[in-house]
Amino acid sequence: MTKPIPLQRRNINASQLVLGCMRLGGDWNASSPITAEHYKEGHEALDAALEIGINMFDHADIYTAGKAERVFAKVLSERQGLREQIILQSKCGIRIGDGDHPHRFDFTADHILNSVDGILERLGTDYLDILLLHRPDPLVEPEDVASAIHKLKASGKVRHFGVSNMSHGQIRLLQAYSDEPFIVNQLEMSLHKIGFLDTAVSVNQEAWRSNVFPEGTMEYCRLENVQLQSWGPLAQGRYSGGSLEGQSQSVVQTAAMVAELAEKHGTTREAVVLAWLMTHPSGIQPVIGTINPQRIRACKDAATLRLSREDWYRLYVASRGVSLP
């Protein structure tokens, strides 16, 4: 029997795979119109996701300048009763630079509250299942965040809260001021971005000094039942058919090993790459960022594919390019 992931242990009926909606709506130019083709892409991506059992969808207010949420809203509106069957997650806190204003992060209460109102309007829904704070704001006042969270929860606009790209220390600071638990932390983790593992195996090793992944974050999230989500889990296709021109020898060797395991298990390379990530005992939720229906369907076997410890380590060591300490 598959071990439930942290969200499921909180009685949130989430699939282990999440469809990331960052590419819906075309380019990131706010003035570019949403076209019929964009809506068609949205329908096809949603069909493919539902077909393989995905019921959770990840957004952010900045994705394609808000167009991703609008496309999803239109597609969702044409499927009666589906809103209550899926889990919608979005993010706020990044402000794109414009004119005299720099690219910046903003966790002020006013910005969070206004952002959620905008998200709900664009998604055409009156509530979010989960809101994530997108990137750490160094000027954060945790009392301000707690105030916004209290208002959003009391109003019914947001049911659950989480963060993205944060260390356990940053989560603990926010949590100290909020009665609502932070139940998600979304970080870049994949067979290519292996810092989350190297942090553990490099303790008391010189190599640890150059690892940017925050030490102790994996352990904190496991102890506190925080759902770890992975953005970029397919590693931009490096190991599942993407061009290997100019790639390092370790990437080439890892890609060959993924192909070998896919053939061995009678599945796709995408499934192997995701299954490797999902083998980690923390119950990682990969957020697949493609809206290509064929690639989405190629992920189908990921949740049921079982890699041996030996094959898991073979892939990890191959990706490292050097032996373990």
Side-chain angles (χ1 to χ4, degrees):
M1 183 176 178
T2 304
K3 181 180 178 182
I5 60 174
L7 285 182
Q8 294 167 352
R9 294 200 292 269
R10 293 181 183 272
N11 296 317
I12 300 172
N13 186 30
S15 52
Q16 192 166 359
L17 289 179
V18 179
L19 184 67
C21 298
M22 183 176 71
R23 289 180 170 82
L24 292 178
D27 61 33
W28 287 56
N29 184 344
S31 62
S32 297
I34 298 173
T35 67
E37 182 62 24
H38 295 143
Y39 292 124
K40 180 174 178 287
E41 288 174 345
H43 275 291
E44 291 174 347
L46 187 56
D47 283 338
L50 294 172
E51 184 180 313
I52 67 169
I54 292 175
N55 72 346
M56 186 167 179
F57 301 87
D58 177 74
H59 290 267
D61 57 357
I62 62 168
Y63 289 168
T64 59
K67 291 181 291 182
E69 290 174 331
R70 293 197 184 280
V71 168
F72 194 89
K74 179 74 160 55
V75 171
L76 191 59
S77 72
E78 296 173 7
R79 297 162 184 256
Q80 189 172 1
L82 185 59
R83 173 64 186 96
E84 289 69 36
Q85 301 172 33
I86 65 172
I87 296 169
L88 276 182
Q89 171 178 282
S90 194
K91 314 179 200 71
C92 71
I94 296 179
R95 303 189 73 163
I96 304 298
D98 58 337
D100 294 330
H101 299 103
H103 179 83
R104 59 208 186 277
F105 309 132
D106 192 341
F107 284 178
T108 59
D110 284 347
H111 181 69
I112 294 171
L113 294 171
N114 290 334
S115 295
V116 170
D117 285 342
I119 290 168
L120 295 178
E121 184 272 327
R122 288 188 297 275
L123 282 174
T125 185
D126 56 6
Y127 71 96
L128 278 179
D129 294 284
I130 303 174
L131 173 72
L132 305 186
L133 301 177
H134 206 160
R135 283 195 177 273
D137 175 7
L139 297 180
V140 63
E141 295 286 357
E143 302 95 333
D144 217 21
V145 173
S147 171
I149 285 175
H150 176 77
K151 291 175 181 176
L152 291 170
K153 179 73 172 185
S155 67
K157 292 179 179 179
V158 179
R159 294 183 173 178
H160 304 283
F161 301 87
V163 299
S164 182
N165 304 297
M166 290 200 193
S167 70
H168 66 291
Q170 291 167 324
I171 300 172
R172 288 181 64 194
L173 175 64
L174 295 175
Q175 191 64 81
Y177 291 83
S178 177
D179 293 332
E180 283 298 312
F182 290 90
I183 66 171
V184 171
N185 188 14
Q186 189 178 120
L187 299 153
E188 186 176 17
M189 296 181 284
S190 70
L191 185 53
H192 188 65
K193 293 292 185 177
I194 55 175
F196 71 105
L197 300 173
D198 284 346
T199 296
V201 302
S202 298
V203 169
N204 203 35
Q205 301 289 323
E206 190 66 26
W208 174 83
R209 296 177 181 274
S210 61
N211 191 351
V212 300
F213 195 89
E215 182 187 10
T217 297
M218 298 295 289
E219 293 79 4
Y220 171 85
C221 290
R222 292 179 70 179
L223 284 168
E224 298 298 326
N225 200 34
V226 174
Q227 178 66 62
L228 283 158
Q229 293 179 345
S230 160
W231 61 267
L234 288 170
Q236 292 76 49
R238 284 179 177 85
Y239 311 117
S240 52
S243 173
L244 295 175
E245 185 177 353
Q247 295 287 353
S248 67
Q249 187 61 26
S250 63
V251 169
V252 173
Q253 290 177 345
T254 305
M257 198 173 295
V258 167
E260 172 192 320
L261 286 169
E263 184 175 358
K264 172 183 172 181
H265 290 279
T267 189
T268 64
R269 290 172 288 184
E270 286 89 350
V272 171
V273 170
L274 295 176
W276 178 86
L277 193 61
M278 293 157 74
T279 296
H280 193 276
S282 62
I284 294 170
Q285 233 188 349
V287 181
I288 57 177
T290 181
I291 58 170
N292 181 318
Q294 185 176 349
R295 288 201 75 205
I296 294 170
R297 292 186 177 97
C299 300
K300 178 183 177 182
D301 294 342
T304 54
L305 178 59
R306 298 289 175 265
L307 298 178
S308 67
R309 286 180 67 92
E310 290 72 23
D311 284 340
W312 186 91
Y313 267 103
R314 284 176 64 217
L315 286 170
Y316 173 34
V317 174
S319 180
R320 278 172 59 91
V322 294
S323 62
L324 290 169

